[in-house]
Amino acid sequence: ACRLKTVADDKFAAIGLAGSAWQAGRKDEAEQGLRESVESCRPNVGPTLALARLLAATGRAEEGRSLAARLAESGEGGVEALATLAACESKLGDHGSAERHLRSAMRADMEDVRLHHRLAPVLLLAQRRHAEADEAMAIERSAAGGDGAMSEGV
């Protein structure tokens, strides 16, 4: 088993190894490596957002939201911090805040089709009009060449 802490000061390696550990079902190891990277790397935007997504995926979205919110408020994490914050909020059932943060991200980067893809399920979960969700998905399909096969990872 690889030890993520040996590369904690290399944020890109830590993110890659955490992703590999996650895929291999070693979620605790992935979390530990990301936490060490967040603590040892400056700036630590990438590892912090990866850790926030991991926490949300493992039922600790409140902690993930706190990490993502800190980056979103400081402006350090840019559009991805807003999108990660929205994902955590949606997991917590706060679809209104999730929508607000995704729309802020969309205003900041109108070309990022992934944001439209992320907005559609939030609107559906918030029981908003299906037409808005359909519109967001149509934009995603159009940009993806018509197949609509966009994915989002940890």
Side-chain angles (χ1 to χ4, degrees), residues 94-151:
D94 188 355
H95 306 298
S97 292
E99 178 185 354
R100 189 175 73 254
H101 286 111
L102 281 171
R103 289 193 186 278
S104 291
M106 291 164 68
R107 282 191 298 277
D109 187 354
M110 296 176 155
E111 302 296 316
D112 191 342
V113 175
R114 296 172 306 148
L115 298 171
H116 294 273
H117 176 70
R118 293 174 180 176
L119 178 61
V122 169
L123 293 174
L124 289 172
L125 288 170
Q127 298 178 344
R128 300 292 296 275
R129 294 183 338 205
H130 289 276
E132 284 186 273
D134 288 343
E135 179 182 331
M137 291 304 290
I139 292 169
E140 184 264 338
R141 279 192 299 277
S142 163
D147 66 354
M150 301 280 296
S151 67

